Amino acid sequence: MKKLTSALFLMIFATAGYITNANSFDFSFSIGAAANHAGFYGEGTEKISDTDDTSDGWRTLDDTEAGAFIDTHSSLFVEIGLNEYIDVGLEHILGDIDTPENVNVQHQGGTEYQLAGTEVTNKAKASFQEYYTLYTNINIPLAFINDGLKLYLKGGFSVADIATRESLETGGSYPNVSSDGLMAGFGLHHDFDAGFFTRLEVTATDWEDVSAQSSAHGAVSGDVTDSKQVSVTDMMSASASFRIGKKF
């Protein structure tokens, strides 16, 4: 997935360079808003490693779960048109994108596999915040179908803060982290009178893996201390959006 996205990303910007060299610049400015329906996927792993190699067989617990969720959100974007073929833009997601809450019940003070003892409940979720995408659209006019209709290829780079929101009865908390990813997609653009336009767009983003270390150290058994870490891998998202804007 990463290799495919990178190839699409490089192809789009290589095409942009070719078109730029072949055509004179005709600058324009556009602003707009979008309604987005997106799906997110990732695999989360909780690792608990004790620091005592002489204790009974319980060393490291890896608990991996895959999860997916959908979200509807809005965004604003601004663009600079270099000519009729190239738009360079910046998009900002409004508000937070919240994952569902995950509930995990554990047992403390029981057997080495923690199948007995005191029951404690951990609740955790995360929010994507300060979500920005820098992108380039390569426009392909479709005048033979309808004047003002364009097919465009899109490539870009997304960044977001991932705020952890947890209530852990086992103690501790996890710090916020950041991730970035390559985005690629395509869409249909239609121009109207007075500079107004609409778009239908589909994109996919391949995100970098993230991990966070707990602020607290618990106890596996007796006075053996442990270190807790959560990592999220294979993160990806896909979005379909309706966009409206005005070109100046």
Side-chain angles (χ1 to χ4, degrees), residues 31-44:
I31 59 174
N36 308 280
H37 188 66
F40 296 81
Y41 172 85
E43 293 185 2

Side-chain angles (χ1 to χ4, degrees), residues 145-197:
I145 298 177
N146 186 295
D147 190 25
L149 182 65
K150 302 173 185 176
L151 169 70
Y152 62 91
L153 303 179
K154 184 170 187 173
F157 182 75
S158 297
V159 295
D161 293 332
I162 303 175
T164 59
R165 303 171 184 268
E166 63 276 314
S167 173
L168 306 179
E169 291 186 357
T170 54
S173 62
Y174 289 94
N176 298 340
V177 295
S178 297
S179 185
D180 54 64
L182 294 178
M183 177 273 295
F186 64 93
L188 285 175
H189 171 113
H190 193 277
D191 288 316
F192 294 91
D193 294 336
F196 289 98
F197 61 84

Side-chain angles (χ1 to χ4, degrees), residues 182-231:
L182 294 178
M183 177 273 295
F186 64 93
L188 285 175
H189 171 113
H190 193 277
D191 288 316
F192 294 91
D193 294 336
F196 289 98
F197 61 84
T198 59
R199 294 174 183 165
L200 293 175
E201 179 180 294
V202 176
T203 61
T205 304
D206 190 15
W207 295 90
E208 287 296 315
D209 300 342
V210 296
S211 63
Q213 190 83 19
S214 175
S215 62
H217 297 278
V220 176
S221 62
D223 58 357
V224 178
T225 59
D226 63 44
S227 175
K228 299 180 181 180
Q229 183 183 61
V230 169
S231 60

Side-chain angles (χ1 to χ4, degrees), residues 35-244:
N36 308 280
H37 188 66
F40 296 81
Y41 172 85
E43 293 185 2
T45 301
E46 181 183 30
K47 177 180 286 188
I48 305 176
S49 301
D50 70 50
T51 59
D52 184 0
D53 292 336
T54 65
S55 62
D56 54 26
W58 196 64
R59 294 291 179 270
T60 301
L61 170 65
D62 287 309
D63 184 15
T64 300
E65 291 186 10
F69 70 97
I70 58 175
D71 183 83
T72 299
H73 53 272
S74 57
S75 61
L76 298 175
F77 62 88
V78 294
E79 293 177 353
I80 296 177
L82 304 182
N83 49 42
E84 65 174 310
Y85 298 102
I86 304 173
D87 299 311
V88 178
L90 178 67
E91 182 172 7
H92 175 51
I93 301 296
L94 301 178
D96 298 343
I97 299 176
D98 296 323
T99 70
E101 185 176 68
N102 184 48
V103 179
N104 173 259
V105 178
Q106 299 184 15
H107 296 79
Q108 290 188 332
T111 68
E112 69 177 78
Y113 298 104
Q114 296 187 329
L115 299 179
T118 303
E119 183 177 282
V120 293
T121 301
N122 291 338
K123 299 179 180 180
K125 64 178 182 177
S127 297
F128 285 80
Q129 302 176 342
E130 300 301 322
Y131 188 155
Y132 290 90
T133 300
L134 179 65
Y135 62 87
T136 295
N137 290 347
I138 306 301
N139 302 307
I140 305 171
L142 300 176
F144 61 92
I145 298 177
N146 186 295
D147 190 25
L149 182 65
K150 302 173 185 176
L151 169 70
Y152 62 91
L153 303 179
K154 184 170 187 173
F157 182 75
S158 297
V159 295
D161 293 332
I162 303 175
T164 59
R165 303 171 184 268
E166 63 276 314
S167 173
L168 306 179
E169 291 186 357
T170 54
S173 62
Y174 289 94
N176 298 340
V177 295
S178 297
S179 185
D180 54 64
L182 294 178
M183 177 273 295
F186 64 93
L188 285 175
H189 171 113
H190 193 277
D191 288 316
F192 294 91
D193 294 336
F196 289 98
F197 61 84
T198 59
R199 294 174 183 165
L200 293 175
E201 179 180 294
V202 176
T203 61
T205 304
D206 190 15
W207 295 90
E208 287 296 315
D209 300 342
V210 296
S211 63
Q213 190 83 19
S214 175
S215 62
H217 297 278
V220 176
S221 62
D223 58 357
V224 178
T225 59
D226 63 44
S227 175
K228 299 180 181 180
Q229 183 183 61
V230 169
S231 60
V232 182
T233 60
D234 295 330
M235 287 196 300
M236 58 188 73
S237 62
S239 176
S241 65
F242 172 76
R243 296 165 180 263
I244 186 170

